[in-house]
Amino acid sequence: MSLKMSMTEKILASKSGGGSVRPGEYIIADLDLAFAHDPVMAILTQKFFETFGDDGKVWDPGKIAFFQDHLVPAKSVEANDMIQIMNKFVKDQGIKHYFPYGKNYGVCHIIITENALALPGQIVVGTDSHTVTCGSFNCFATGLGVFDVGVALGTGNAWFRVPNTILISLCGNFKPGVGAKDLILYLIGELKLDGAKYCSLEWEGEVLENMSIDERSTLCNMSVEAGATNSIMSLNKETRAYLDKTTDSTFVEVETDKGYIYEKVITINLDKLEPMIAKPHRPDNVCSVLEVEDIEIHQVYVGSCTGGKLEDIKEFHAALGNRHLHSDVTTIVVPATMKIYKELFELKIAQSLMEKGAVIESPGCKACYGVHGGVTRSGENCLATINRNFIGRMGNPKSSIYLASPTTAAHTAVQGVIKSCE
């Protein structure tokens, strides 16, 4: 009888010889996409040329991507130096997928989705922990260290420890005002920061079939906050249709074998889920929004790979309704990509948000990375739709960050204190 495998195990097995793999096993697997972004370029290229020589070449220019998202527009001379290192490396190596600051740039994980660079059954690695976002497209996606990616650029493979698989089984449906961000915050609160260490989170449930691409991405994106190696789910109708429209590449969907025995099964009844929030200074310091209502907020930040997608900003706008933003709250909206930025204006959402008192920033990681575009003040409380709230995450260790959904962000931005409803 053949060994039963999970989605993740099947992908890792197919890319490492085609046999079978078991949790805990160490393997070397072929990659389908490796990527990096601007803040790591100096050390990345140094490692690459140390390993492969001054005339070293990447293994496949068509399977590598580079992004300018963390440091643009350049905040300093040093940041611009990083960008120039990237420009030179891309040109010298003939990299096919390049997204520099300009008309088609943005946060790497969302740009990958927009361009269908991560496909079912593939292995995707990048120099960012939130590479796990791509698992919503039924692939194995994980962040690696800069040195590992630097070597992978020349070899086309990387080593992995096959993770155990935890099944997240969803039943019921979201109540009004509750969504994917509340769900993933709740799960992180249950698992804690290391509860999924060396594990793959696999999602199942009828609700996933009706979730948008952006909502599904939110679930996978923040799985790493519980320590997950990767997060993965089957395709639904919307993702299949999107891939059919966006790419001509062939792919094979992967499903877990029936009868597979999971490391753990966590069942969540969405009917009982409330709006959730992560209090300072940990993503797993989670409670119901009702428990912290009326705490004064000085800044509301809607952005990042977690909360700057089109559906996130549309949700924020819809929750505002006809209300204007509180005059004592600085409200910043940062679309993840230029495509989203343009769509906000085409849909008249950007104009509406500005009329209500919000500032629409250009795309990028911005204050989620803590370097520019909304760095918090000392003593300030910020409610953000980003993925992490560790001390200093948004650039100031003397401020406090609360993580919440776009809906909670909207109600809070209007009332000046944490609120989950009007």
Side-chain angles (χ1 to χ4, degrees):
M1 186 172 65
S2 62
L3 179 69
K4 295 183 184 299
M5 292 190 289
S6 68
M7 296 180 195
T8 291
E9 291 163 9
K10 284 185 176 181
I11 294 171
L12 293 176
S14 70
K15 301 294 182 178
S16 60
S20 59
V21 298
R22 295 176 179 273
E25 181 180 350
Y26 288 87
I27 62 168
I28 295 178
D30 294 332
L31 307 176
D32 295 283
L33 178 71
F35 73 86
H37 44 31
D38 41 11
V40 305
M41 284 310 296
I43 192 169
L44 179 80
T45 54
Q46 177 185 339
K47 183 63 177 178
F48 178 82
F49 291 120
E50 282 180 356
T51 305
F52 302 105
D54 293 341
D55 59 351
K57 295 296 180 182
V58 300
W59 105 91
D60 187 337
K63 294 184 177 181
I64 295 169
F66 283 94
F67 303 87
Q68 292 179 14
D69 58 4
H70 279 59
L71 304 178
V72 290
K75 71 178 185 68
S76 64
V77 173
E78 292 76 16
N80 216 327
D81 287 344
M82 289 286 193
I83 292 166
Q84 298 315 311
I85 292 172
M86 179 179 283
N87 286 336
K88 185 177 188 306
F89 189 83
V90 166
K91 182 178 179 181
D92 291 348
Q93 297 288 335
I95 302 301
K96 180 180 178 181
H97 303 295
Y98 187 34
F99 302 90
Y101 184 64
K103 67 178 181 179
N104 185 28
Y105 86 102
V107 181
C108 54
H109 316 295
I110 312 307
I111 289 284
I112 288 174
T113 296
E114 290 178 353
N115 292 270
L117 296 182
L119 299 175
Q122 292 188 342
I123 293 182
V124 176
V125 300
T127 54
D128 191 288
S129 61
H130 292 106
T131 301
V132 294
T133 306
C134 302
S136 61
F137 281 84
N138 192 230
C139 64
F140 176 84
T142 193
L144 297 183
V146 177
F147 281 5
D148 287 322
V149 174
V151 173
L153 294 181
T155 64
N157 56 47
W159 70 269
F160 301 97
R161 173 179 166 177
V162 179
N164 292 295
T165 301
I166 297 174
L167 179 65
I168 311 302
S169 182
L170 307 176
C171 61
N173 291 286
F174 291 119
K175 294 185 289 190
V178 180
K181 184 63 175 286
D182 302 296
L183 169 57
I184 191 60
L185 285 174
Y186 172 82
L187 179 62
I188 295 166
E190 293 295 302
L191 286 170
K192 303 305 179 184
L193 294 184
D194 61 352
K197 187 176 181 180
Y198 295 127
C199 290
S200 169
L201 294 187
E202 182 179 310
W203 300 81
E204 73 163 17
E206 290 185 14
V207 69
L208 295 172
E209 182 59 37
N210 296 318
M211 273 193 188
S212 68
I213 290 171
D214 285 353
E215 290 175 303
R216 288 158 56 93
S217 293
T218 295
L219 298 180
C220 288
N221 175 280
M222 285 192 67
S223 295
V224 73
E225 313 310 335
T229 297
N230 72 301
S231 188
I232 192 168
M233 57 183 65
S234 302
L235 296 187
N236 64 0
K237 291 179 181 178
E238 182 175 335
T239 50
R240 286 192 194 94
Y242 182 77
L243 290 175
D244 288 343
K245 178 182 68 175
T246 310
T247 181
D248 294 326
S249 300
T250 58
F251 56 83
V252 178
E253 296 181 40
V254 182
E255 295 290 347
T256 294
D257 290 325
K258 291 184 178 180
Y260 176 81
I261 300 176
Y262 293 93
E263 174 74 9
K264 182 190 298 185
V265 177
I266 298 174
T267 300
I268 301 176
N269 185 348
L270 301 180
D271 293 330
K272 298 181 179 180
L273 191 65
E274 300 291 335
M276 306 301 291
I277 195 165
K279 300 178 290 184
H281 296 283
R282 292 164 56 110
D284 64 352
N285 189 17
V286 176
C287 67
S288 165
V289 174
L290 293 174
E291 296 180 37
V292 291
E293 279 197 327
D294 297 329
I295 291 177
E296 185 179 16
I297 293 296
H298 308 94
Q299 176 172 297
V300 168
Y301 185 92
V302 180
S304 82
C305 53
T306 308
K309 304 182 295 299
L310 182 61
E311 291 296 325
D312 301 319
I313 300 173
K314 288 173 67 176
E315 178 185 330
F316 175 75
H317 180 252
L320 289 177
N322 295 321
R323 300 175 296 170
H324 278 69
L325 301 169
H326 197 286
S327 59
D328 292 334
V329 177
T330 300
T331 301
I332 303 171
V333 177
V334 188
T337 69
M338 279 296 285
K339 181 176 184 291
I340 297 169
Y341 196 32
K342 294 173 185 175
E343 288 177 317
L344 291 178
F345 280 95
E346 292 168 0
L347 296 170
K348 306 298 184 183
I349 291 175
Q351 296 91 318
S352 175
L353 288 174
M354 288 188 287
E355 289 170 1
K356 294 177 186 298
V359 174
I360 313 296
E361 282 283 342
S362 60
C365 296
K366 299 294 177 71
C368 180
Y369 183 56
V371 291
H372 61 148
V375 172
T376 49
R377 300 190 304 268
S378 295
E380 183 173 84
N381 292 330
C382 176
L383 188 141
T385 64
I386 64 176
N387 39 47
R388 288 176 180 159
N389 61 342
F390 299 118
I391 293 176
R393 174 66 182 185
M394 294 185 73
N396 189 342
K398 296 182 179 179
S399 64
S400 296
I401 305 164
Y402 294 80
L403 306 179
S405 71
T407 294
T408 297
H411 297 313
T412 299
V414 168
Q415 299 178 63
V417 294
I418 295 175
K419 290 290 184 183
S420 62
C421 59
E422 294 184 31

